[in-house]
Amino acid sequence: MSQARERGIPDATVARLPLYLRALNGLAERATATVSSEDLAVAAGVNSAKLRKDLSHLGSYGTRGVGYDVQYLIYQISRELGLTQDWAVAIVGVGNLGRALANYGGFVSRGFRVAALFDADKGVVGERLVGMAVDHIDELESVIDTRGVSIVVIATPATAAQQVADRVIAAGITSILNFAPVVLTVPDGVDVRKVDLSTELQILAFHEQRKADRETGSPIMAETWAEAMDA
Amino acid sequence: MSQARERGIPDATVARLPLYLRALNGLAERATATVSSEDLAVAAGVNSAKLRKDLSHLGSYGTRGVGYDVQYLIYQISRELGLTQDWAVAIVGVGNLGRALANYGGFVSRGFRVAALFDADKGVVGERLVGMAVDHIDELESVIDTRGVSIVVIATPATAAQQVADRVIAAGITSILNFAPVVLTVPDGVDVRKVDLSTELQILAFHEQRKADRETGSPIMAETWAEAMDA
DNA sequence: GTACCTTTGTGAAGCTATGCACAAAGTGCG
DNA sequence: CGCACTTTGTGCATAGCTTCACAAAGGTAC
């Protein structure tokens, strides 16, 4: 009975599906045929009731008294995420980060194919990476079109990111993964996900500070605004 | 009246503070003295009521009828996040990603300092990056100790990540930023944040597929399990 | 000082997500 | 076949987050 199937899997659930998929692939490698929600939940690091509820949004793919068939569940999650088809990804900005992304094995293994690389620096254009020549940013629209790119990764400096976004959106792209530390302004219907390296560190620093404060018993640093401004 | 001040800023709020900080720094560069919650919310891409409630968790730092003093708010958020102190960060794994992280300017500019680099490959050890020699992983514990490292970034292959985590935790580290695509098992009191590049792409693919399905009017791909297994 | 304008800070309502706890459904053994 | 055991799928209570809407507070002009 999956009336929840059509129209709307919760975002929180969608965000966890890749996690389950990874755990399942690990089990598959060790030739495990079936797995209980309890065991899979441990492998994925979540609560088992949550895992069952997440999976129930996709349909009723388990067998009571037995668990889930690993291969079958891998297939169902992959299909739901759209990984049974091939996605052509373009990376804009071939600096340190762009190179790391192009070389990252996790992309290819999950149905994503790096189909184009772009940079504004003529010194980089023409260079070959993972069997792919870097194109000049001027070619952006035409290459996106001819190679059927549907997802763009922005790995440019912050100053160039909005401009790149505007251009790829004009070229018909509606899914962007943004590594540049800026808030992109995009029209409705365009999905942007952002990964911000320094944000994550800042969140860690917050918790680390909390731990330190608790240990020393000091309430919160008592330094005043005026004192800090003197420095 | 900020009784919410002591004990517990919501996680969702903490996760947004770096975003506000970035928007504020943008305003400060353009010499803006004060900003309303409405304008700052637009710059950060959030709802203004949410922004006000987030800031109210830190204290009552605005002026009714005027808005927030940009410099003062930057200071308060920085202090709350623990960025007024200097954090020594170690990066383990100097592959493509590790290099990108070491070179990433956003770290240094926010109170984070790359204090150590480690790799298991003797060919990489000794190499200099951002004025810092790469140490061998055997030195992990001693270097963490002598250089006062308090946050560790794991940028190793998946297979090495848990082992690295175990070792740094044994060395006293309680904050880890993990780029390896594995679920790390850690004791209570240790904070792990993870950044998974392929997870983000998978979430985008999900939404992209939804959009494509809606356009063509097709319900959901009708391919069956048996058909897919033939391929 | 008063009247008017702007903008904050927050109570309250609504929405989403989490986790417990259990009935329903399946397996397997004697 | 029936009984004991396992494990799913989900109703329900709770917790947390978001958004609205507005009173309270401060600024400015005259």
Side-chain angles (χ1 to χ4, degrees), chain A residues 9-11 17 32 45 56 59 81 144 158 165 179 189 196 206-207 214 222:
Chain A
I9 295 175
D11 284 349
L17 291 180
T32 311
S56 77
L81 286 172
I144 282 178
F179 284 86
D196 188 337
F206 171 83
H207 291 294
R214 202 163 303 141

Side-chain angles (χ1 to χ4, degrees), chain A residues 18 177 193-195, chain B residues 195-205:
Chain A
L177 180 53
R193 292 196 66 87
K194 71 178 169 42
V195 175
Chain B
V195 176
D196 188 338
L197 310 174
S198 83
T199 291
E200 298 299 324
L201 274 188
Q202 290 174 50
I203 295 170
L204 276 178

Side-chain angles (χ1 to χ4, degrees), chain B residues 22 107 120 152 161 165 167 172 179 184 194 206 212:
Chain B
R22 200 157 71 195
F107 285 1
V152 169
R167 285 181 64 184
F179 284 86
L184 294 180
K194 71 178 168 42
F206 171 83

Side-chain angles (χ1 to χ4, degrees), chain B residues 88-192:
Chain B
V89 176
I91 297 173
V92 184
V94 187
N96 281 298
L97 183 58
R99 280 166 215 272
L101 295 172
N103 283 299
Y104 179 55
F107 285 1
V108 182
S109 70
R110 303 242 194 295
F112 299 99
R113 183 169 46 83
V114 178
L117 298 166
F118 299 99
D119 206 290
D121 180 354
K122 298 244 155 113
V124 175
V125 172
E127 190 179 321
R128 295 190 75 82
L129 249 87
V130 289
M132 170 85 32
V134 177
D135 289 304
H136 191 268
I137 190 77
D138 287 350
E139 316 284 329
L140 193 64
E141 290 81 358
S142 64
V143 171
I144 282 178
D145 193 46
T146 53
R147 299 193 195 160
V149 169
S150 49
I151 299 178
V152 169
V153 177
I154 298 181
T156 64
T159 48
Q162 182 65 55
Q163 204 180 346
V164 169
D166 292 344
R167 285 181 64 184
V168 301
I169 290 166
I173 294 295
T174 57
S175 293
I176 296 174
L177 180 54
N178 178 35
F179 284 86
V182 284
V183 175
L184 294 180
T185 304
V186 301
D188 281 359
V190 176
D191 281 310
V192 177

